[in-house]
Amino acid sequence: MQILGSTNFNFIKWRWHAIALSAAIIIIGFAQIVQQGGPRLSVDFSGGTSMVLRFGQPVTEDAVRTALASVTGDKTVQRFGQPSENQILVRLPQSITVEEGTTLDDAAEQVDALVRKANLGAFTREKTEIVGPVVGQDLQRKGIYATLTAIAGIMLYIGFRFRFTFAAGAIVATLHDVLVTLVFLNWFGYELSLNIVAALLTMTGYSVNDTIVVFDRVRENARTMRKDSLDTQVNTSVNQTLSRTVITAGTTFLAVFGLYMYGGDVLEGFAFTLLVGIISGTYSTIFIAAAIAILLTKKTAVAPTTGANRARARA
């Protein structure tokens, strides 16, 4: 299925522009994350109490903050979902208590009592999540291990199937996708949760799958285009797989966009992560992975080699 027909775009020509753009987004984004004291962690990782209050009439965030003035510490009160739904998210880190001796379970009840006492109108508690500090730290550690294990497995697989310079290109592209997605999650106010970690792992698999398709075509073309430069081989391969890349990314994007629009608040962060990941993964496959693979392969080829190293360079 060739929706784009035969293309001959010079993608490799724009590799430095693409790398500069990605570097700028990542540096600016992580500078803001550091400035704000770290990424926004959900109760899944930080521990504490999180609840969503749905009011029967419009209520401002400031009104709820005022009602919870007796709650000391760095609590979070923010709009949740669509404005028309009149939902407010209240989150209390595990270090906060409403009254001396109050447990995390009691804190939710105390918040209910304080909001009712402020006469803000009728409301219901939509959901409550309570995670202790030990569980939060354990989930955070396992989330990091899961991500690192996935990346290590990807590198070993591509290194075995292709060459390690190509594996490095795929890993850089995958890390690029993860970092860019984390930046956009922070910019749009999403907290890191178990759902988002699951979406990040899904996104890495999607991105690598797209990259492998291009690298497979590079390997095939290397046999029939021996007289052409590596730049030409890679650029031709990207153009030959471009229709497949656009079709795959486009159909996946539409499916996930439907999930984002109609999946509800629980799946919104998950779907948003995948949307950013699909765009970033397609972009990195075309520009980042191929560019890094070319740079490392050329660097290896021009390095002084003798004996086994020279044979490896010829391969």
Side-chain angles (χ1 to χ4, degrees):
M1 189 173 182
Q2 296 287 330
I3 64 172
L4 296 179
S6 179
T7 61
N8 190 29
F9 302 119
N10 191 355
F11 293 109
I12 304 303
K13 174 184 177 182
W14 299 99
R15 59 189 174 191
W16 292 113
H17 302 80
I19 290 173
L21 174 62
S22 296
I25 291 175
I26 292 171
I27 291 172
I28 293 173
F30 272 84
Q32 292 178 345
I33 292 175
V34 171
Q35 187 178 19
Q36 72 187 21
R40 297 183 177 93
L41 298 178
S42 73
V43 171
D44 293 339
F45 297 130
S46 63
T49 303
S50 175
M51 65 201 79
V52 176
L53 307 178
R54 181 190 290 271
F55 291 84
Q57 62 288 321
V59 174
T60 64
E61 299 168 55
D62 289 337
V64 177
R65 289 194 187 97
T66 301
L68 301 178
S70 60
V71 180
T72 59
D74 190 21
K75 58 184 177 292
T76 299
V77 178
Q78 64 186 53
R79 183 70 57 185
F80 187 80
Q82 299 299 321
S84 59
E85 296 175 341
N86 300 322
Q87 295 184 99
I88 299 292
L89 170 67
V90 178
R91 193 183 70 169
L92 308 177
Q94 57 90 16
S95 59
I96 290 181
T97 56
V98 179
E99 295 177 355
E100 187 175 354
T102 300
T103 66
L104 291 175
D105 296 287
D106 295 334
E109 299 299 329
Q110 291 291 335
V111 167
D112 263 10
L114 289 171
V115 174
R116 296 186 192 282
K117 185 178 179 181
N119 294 322
L120 298 180
F123 70 92
T124 57
R125 196 195 310 171
E126 291 290 296
K127 64 176 182 178
T128 303
E129 297 178 1
I130 300 174
V131 178
V134 176
V135 175
Q137 292 174 4
D138 183 57
L139 292 174
Q140 186 174 357
R141 183 173 61 256
K142 288 181 178 178
I144 294 173
Y145 288 165
T147 304
L148 294 179
T149 301
I151 292 175
I154 289 167
M155 186 171 184
L156 288 174
Y157 170 74
I158 299 179
F160 175 78
R161 184 170 179 180
F162 301 98
R163 35 177 127 165
F164 275 96
T165 53
F166 278 55
I171 292 302
V172 170
T174 301
L175 290 175
H176 162 275
D177 297 340
V178 172
L179 295 177
V180 168
T181 303
L182 289 175
V183 167
F184 274 87
L185 285 169
N186 186 68
W187 282 347
F188 283 82
Y190 288 97
E191 297 178 335
L192 290 181
S193 64
L194 289 176
N195 278 350
I196 287 180
V197 170
L200 286 173
L201 293 175
T202 304
M203 179 199 72
T204 57
Y206 175 89
S207 176
V208 170
N209 175 70
D210 212 19
T211 302
I212 287 176
V213 171
V214 176
F215 284 176
D216 255 334
R217 186 57 59 89
V218 173
R219 183 171 58 179
E220 294 171 2
N221 287 334
R223 299 167 184 159
T224 59
M225 302 173 61
R226 293 180 180 276
K227 295 182 179 180
D228 293 300
S229 65
L230 181 61
D231 288 27
T232 302
Q233 293 174 8
V234 172
N235 199 66
T236 300
S237 301
V238 172
N239 276 281
Q240 289 175 345
T241 57
L242 188 60
S243 286
R244 182 264 179 200
T245 299
V246 171
I247 292 171
T248 303
T251 53
T252 309
F253 184 91
L254 290 175
V256 177
F257 185 74
L259 187 65
Y260 176 76
M261 293 296 296
Y262 306 109
D265 296 322
V266 175
L267 295 178
E268 183 179 327
F270 177 88
F272 179 84
T273 303
L274 288 181
L275 288 176
V276 176
I278 291 168
I279 297 172
S280 177
T282 304
Y283 164 85
S284 67
T285 294
I286 295 174
F287 294 105
I288 306 299
I292 298 299
I294 290 174
L295 292 174
L296 293 179
T297 302
K298 286 182 176 180
K299 185 176 181 180
T300 303
V302 301
T305 56
T306 58
N309 288 338
R310 188 180 295 113
R312 189 183 302 113
R314 287 198 301 270

